Amino acid sequence: MNKETVNLLCKQFGISMDTIKLVETAEAEIQPVFRRYDDIAEYNQLKVLKAFHDCRISDTVFAWNNGYGHDDPGRDACSRVYAGALGAEDCIVRPTICDGTHALACTFLGILRPGDELLYCSGQPYDTMQTVIGLRGDGNGSLKSYGVSFAQVDLTPENNIDLEAVKAAIGPKTRMAALQRSLGYSWRHAFSIEEIAAWVSACKSVKPDIICMVDNCYGEFLDYKEPTEVGVDVMAGSLMKNPGGGIAEGGGYIAGRADLVEMVSYRVTAPGIGGDCGLMYDQTRHILKGIFMGPRTINGAIKGAALCSKVFQLLGFETTPRAEAPRNDIVTAIKLNNKEQLIEFCRAIQSAAAINAHFTPEEGEMPGYPDAVIMASGSFAQGSTLELSADGPIREPYIVYFQGGLSYWHSKLGVMAAVQALCSRGLIG
Ligand SMILES: *Cc1c(COP(=O)(O)O)cnc(C)c1O
């Protein structure tokens, strides 16, 4: 870091020389890890570009109409580019899919029928999925209320997918096996493409026609392949995360086998209409530019996450994944010692945001979440966690989930701000 940058950090951002030195040390030590991320980002940039070329995208797709949108050109363009970039047969991507939760709910509700069983193979599902399944809340509208049952296979004590237990749990009613790739609000690693491929093989070895579904939130463009390229039948994700590239205003996608995407499209719109109606509301250009910029944005975020792990490891905290370990999402979880550290960490991240930096996050209830949560996300797209953000449920052990940054340098500033806040408040030595 040059003298001018150091001066600016000290004088304008209140970062001490000790903090700067710590982060610089960490950064120097993890350079070898960064090289792999650069290679993957370059590959994915070309892969996405190839999808644009294959789909012959022209600027006319940015135009949009109104009403039913029977021939909204952008809708089809977005679907095809997404399908190409994700190596899937088909895809539905819409600004009207609210978020990842909505995309996942449409996937389950669109494909599963009364009497079917959904088998989660990665332990307890992500918090907002629990109300969709009917594990929490009044169950109204949930899978359970439609007669779709649920079973779950826990991870092994080492937090790996328990393939033998998965095989044993698949029965005559098990129509879909699901895997959550990212850690969610839990303490484990995110699953790699190799682990996902082995899981698919295990499931299909006992039931060849089982539908393998992946909650792919935070997982896109982090490896040379996507789950849909290693046998996963259908997956869903959020445009507030990786594939939105920090440019899409919002939305969600479902990608996979064409017959399954069609079933889901009947849930997203209506049976018989599916993907043939619905406006893009002038979001086509943002969605396409988002996926085009995605590999680069994600590259910055994943480096920031690795740096965060390294810095907090140097400070003596437990992190997952560790800085040197392979990463299959853009999240770093840090086990903090108490609630005060969790709150100060999130407040520091908020103070480093571009938007609403002068706001102070407070703990509070959030729709779909069982515990009070604290969330720092001073983002251009409200709540976007591809942008610099940190959050965590107010429950023991006090784990903070750090992620995002539209550039590596922003993410790095976030790490410095968090360290600085904890030091200044006397919360760490
Ligand atoms: C974020 C997330 C979701 C939900 O996505 P939203 O866009 O926040 O609704 C689901 N599953 C996992 C693993 C996630 O990280």
Side-chain angles (χ1 to χ4, degrees), residues 22 187 308-319 322 334-337 341 419 422 428-429:
L22 172 72
W187 185 262
C308 184
S309 290
K310 188 73 198 178
V311 167
F312 279 83
Q313 278 164 223
L314 292 175
L315 287 168
F317 288 90
E318 225 186 303
T319 73
R322 290 184 57 81
I334 307 163
K335 218 173 254 179
L336 299 171
N337 300 321
Q341 287 181 343
V419 171
L422 295 183
I428 52 174

Side-chain angles (χ1 to χ4, degrees), residues 98-102 104 126 128-129 180-184 215 217-218 238-241 251 369 385:
C98 313
D99 50 21
T101 303
H102 187 194
L104 289 157
Y126 186 75
T128 61
M129 285 299 105
Q180 180 186 308
R181 186 174 179 186
S182 178
L183 73 172
D215 170 351
C217 287
Y218 282 131
S238 173
L239 268 54
M240 269 79 79
K241 297 179 183 171
Y369 290 87
T385 45

